[in-house]
């Protein structure tokens, strides 16, 4: 994208006769002198960089890739649909008794472009149907780990190309929602092994699925027990303590860490409650409102994952997990070795969806 110089240098317009760019008027909130660094004699317009970045992001949009892992029947697809208020996750097909259960986990991904307030986001939901459903679940996390590393490999190959693309397609998994069954007892050994292996390569956020099946006391005790088990096994979920940038970050992230695992309820059905239409699950005792913080922690999860930490999830993926993989690959054998691609079903949805 370099500039092409004209053959006749006399064609270049002298700097003194070039039209000056329009400088925005100094905002009323900007102080005349900077309290840090060199004092400014007048308004320059440095603060407009934020608006410039916003405009560029509005034009190009961005990617966000989320993986959902857990036993069948925990409402993984429903919760993702509830998070983004759209039918963004394809429901997994269950196997009948007559069909042979697959020996390995089959990774399925589906992509959509969703738009809200003029901002476009290409959302990819990666599902892992069959995880933990087999009789023998030994090393069943390996296909998932392989898939995550394959996405790092794809990005790395694009990055090291001499003539690389202006914008490298990003299929790296930014977040892995791990669904814990609401047993009220403790984590399965399979849960511990999975999170132990995958927390090293991806941002894991544990959630207790269908938490409305637990009483308030059971829910509190179960959350505490899960946190203790994760700590005892050395499993660090996102946001990791070592990546807190300052005291403000630490304070905000400590509150999130204390709230984990999020006890959530997902639903794509609306009901009338006190004259308002709300997303919820209808029971014999009433409606469990998904977005009511007194009923479940769905709103906490949504605000954390989308409204406050979405960009950080992407940055930790790029700066920590991907960089760790990249450094190891470039050091191993003194170069790049092609990985054998894993067959992956991927559906690209080209139609845009408006989020309301």
């Amino acid at each position: 994208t370099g500039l092409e110089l004209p053959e006749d240098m006399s064609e270049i317009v002298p700097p003194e006769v070039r039209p000056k760019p329009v400088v925005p008027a100094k905002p009323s909130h900007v102080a005349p002198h900077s309290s840090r660094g060199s004092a400014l004699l007048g308004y320059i317009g440095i603060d407009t960089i934020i608006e410039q970045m916003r405009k560029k992001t509005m034009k190009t949009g961005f990617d966000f890739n989320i993986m959902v892992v857990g036993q069948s029947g925990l409402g993984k697809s429903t919760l993702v649909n509830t998070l983004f208020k759209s039918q963004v996750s394809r429901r997994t097909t269950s196997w009948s008794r007559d069909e042979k259960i697959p020996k390995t986990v089959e990774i399925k991904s589906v992509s959509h472009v969703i738009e809200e307030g003029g901002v476009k986001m290409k959302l990819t939901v990666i599902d892992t149907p069959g995880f933990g459903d087999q009789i023998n679940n030994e090393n069943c996390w390996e296909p998932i780990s392989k898939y995550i590393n394959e996405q790092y490999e794809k990005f790395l190959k694009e990055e090291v190309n001499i003539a690389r693309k202006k914008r490298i397609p990003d299929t790296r998994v930014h977040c892995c929602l791990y669904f814990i069954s609401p047993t009220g007892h403790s984590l399965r050994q399979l849960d511990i092994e999975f999170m132990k292996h995958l927390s090293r390569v991806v941002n894991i956020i544990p959630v207790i699925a269908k938490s409305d099946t637990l009483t308030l006391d059971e829910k509190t005790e179960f959350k505490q027990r899960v946190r203790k088990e994760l700590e005892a096994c050395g499993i660090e979920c996102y946001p990791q303590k070592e990546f807190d940038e300052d005291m403000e970050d630490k304070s905000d992230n400590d509150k999130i860490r204390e709230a984990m695992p999020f006890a959530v309820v997902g639903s794509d059905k609306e009901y009338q409650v006190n004259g308002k239409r709300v997303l919820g699950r209808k029971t014999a005792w009433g409606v469990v409102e998904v977005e009511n913080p007194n009923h479940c922690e769905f709103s906490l999860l949504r605000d954390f994952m989308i409204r406050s930490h979405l960009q950080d999830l992407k940055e930790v993926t790029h700066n920590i997990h991907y960089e760790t993989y990249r450094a190891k690959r470039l050091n191993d054998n003194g170069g790049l070795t092609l990985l054998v691609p894993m067959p992956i079903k991927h559906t690209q949805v080209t139609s845009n969806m408006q989020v309301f």
Side-chain angles (χ1 to χ4, degrees):
T1 59
L3 297 174
E4 295 182 4
L5 295 175
E7 295 179 1
D8 184 2
M9 296 300 290
S10 63
E11 292 177 13
I12 299 178
V13 181
E16 59 270 16
V17 298
R18 285 179 181 170
K20 294 182 179 180
V22 177
V23 178
K26 174 184 169 183
S28 58
H29 66 273
V30 178
H33 296 288
S34 174
S35 58
R36 293 180 181 178
S38 302
L40 303 178
L41 300 177
Y43 177 64
I44 300 174
I46 298 172
D47 58 348
T48 62
I49 186 66
I50 304 299
E51 180 62 17
Q52 294 172 43
M53 292 167 68
R54 188 189 72 84
K55 285 182 178 178
K56 191 169 184 179
T57 304
M58 292 275 282
K59 287 181 182 178
T60 60
F62 61 97
D63 302 305
F64 188 61
N65 308 318
I66 179 172
M67 175 180 274
V68 290
V69 180
Q71 287 177 288
S72 298
L74 290 181
K76 301 187 296 292
S77 299
T78 303
L79 184 72
V80 174
N81 289 340
T82 311
L83 272 171
F84 295 97
K85 295 191 175 180
S86 305
Q87 295 297 317
V88 294
S89 181
R90 172 176 53 194
R91 291 186 181 275
T92 59
T93 54
S94 57
W95 297 282
S96 66
R97 291 185 179 182
D98 298 331
E99 292 179 11
K100 185 179 179 182
I101 296 176
K103 292 182 180 178
T104 58
V105 176
E106 183 184 25
I107 311 292
K108 296 179 181 179
S109 64
V110 57
S111 297
H112 297 272
V113 175
I114 60 179
E115 183 175 357
E116 182 181 42
V119 179
K120 292 180 181 179
M121 178 175 75
K122 181 187 174 185
L123 174 69
T124 300
V125 179
I126 304 113
D127 197 2
T128 57
F131 172 78
D133 293 342
Q134 290 81 30
I135 296 173
N136 181 10
N137 291 300
E138 187 178 357
N139 298 335
C140 65
W141 56 80
E142 286 183 353
I144 300 170
S145 178
K146 184 178 179 183
Y147 176 90
I148 293 169
N149 285 327
E150 280 180 352
Q151 308 319 305
Y152 292 148
E153 184 74 9
K154 283 169 67 176
F155 196 89
L156 177 59
K157 284 191 172 70
E158 290 286 350
E159 202 175 48
V160 298
N161 280 340
I162 296 173
R164 60 184 181 182
K165 298 173 183 176
K166 184 178 178 181
R167 189 182 179 197
I168 300 174
D170 190 1
T171 59
R172 297 170 297 180
V173 180
H174 301 125
C175 171
C176 174
L177 280 180
Y178 190 88
F179 285 69
I180 299 169
S181 183
T183 61
H185 302 297
S186 59
L187 289 172
R188 298 178 302 163
Q189 188 61 35
L190 180 62
D191 297 327
I192 293 170
E193 288 297 324
F194 177 89
M195 287 191 272
K196 188 181 291 184
H197 283 84
L198 272 293
S199 60
R200 303 182 190 124
V201 295
V202 72
N203 297 316
I204 287 188
I205 299 176
V207 297
I208 299 171
K210 297 186 175 180
S211 65
D212 55 325
T213 59
L214 299 171
T215 66
L216 293 176
D217 290 340
E218 287 172 341
K219 190 191 303 179
T220 302
E221 289 175 12
F222 189 39
K223 281 164 64 76
Q224 290 174 350
R225 198 174 296 120
V226 169
R227 280 198 297 270
K228 286 179 181 177
E229 286 184 273
L230 291 175
E231 188 177 352
C233 296
I235 300 169
E236 197 168 12
C237 300
Y238 178 87
Q240 301 89 338
K241 291 180 181 178
E242 59 188 299
F243 304 145
D244 291 343
E245 294 183 358
D246 50 40
M247 291 307 295
E248 184 183 357
D249 259 9
K250 185 180 184 305
S251 176
D252 292 342
N253 290 339
D254 278 346
K255 293 175 184 175
I256 293 166
R257 287 186 278 261
E258 289 167 8
M260 283 187 175
F262 296 99
V264 297
V265 175
S267 175
D268 48 13
K269 294 182 179 179
E270 286 189 336
Y271 296 96
Q272 194 85 12
V273 177
N274 297 327
K276 292 182 181 179
R277 301 290 295 177
V278 297
L279 287 170
R281 278 165 55 89
K282 194 170 184 179
T283 69
W285 302 274
V287 175
V288 180
E289 298 174 40
V290 169
E291 297 181 280
N292 187 335
N294 295 320
H295 291 191
C296 77
E297 295 169 343
F298 170 83
S299 57
L300 283 176
L301 173 64
R302 178 200 57 204
D303 292 353
F304 155 60
M305 209 175 84
I306 300 174
R307 301 182 183 182
S308 66
H309 281 68
L310 190 148
Q311 182 59 29
D312 190 64
L313 280 163
K314 289 168 63 70
E315 288 178 3
V316 170
T317 298
H318 181 77
N319 297 330
I320 307 298
H321 297 305
Y322 170 67
E323 280 301 318
T324 301
Y325 178 87
R326 179 179 176 276
K328 185 177 183 301
R329 288 289 288 113
L330 294 179
N331 282 327
D332 288 351
N333 305 323
L336 295 174
T337 305
L338 289 173
L339 290 177
V340 179
M342 175 182 170
I344 298 165
K345 291 184 179 181
H346 188 274
T347 305
Q348 176 64 53
V349 179
T350 54
S351 59
N352 291 359
M353 295 191 296
Q354 190 75 29
V355 179
F356 297 98

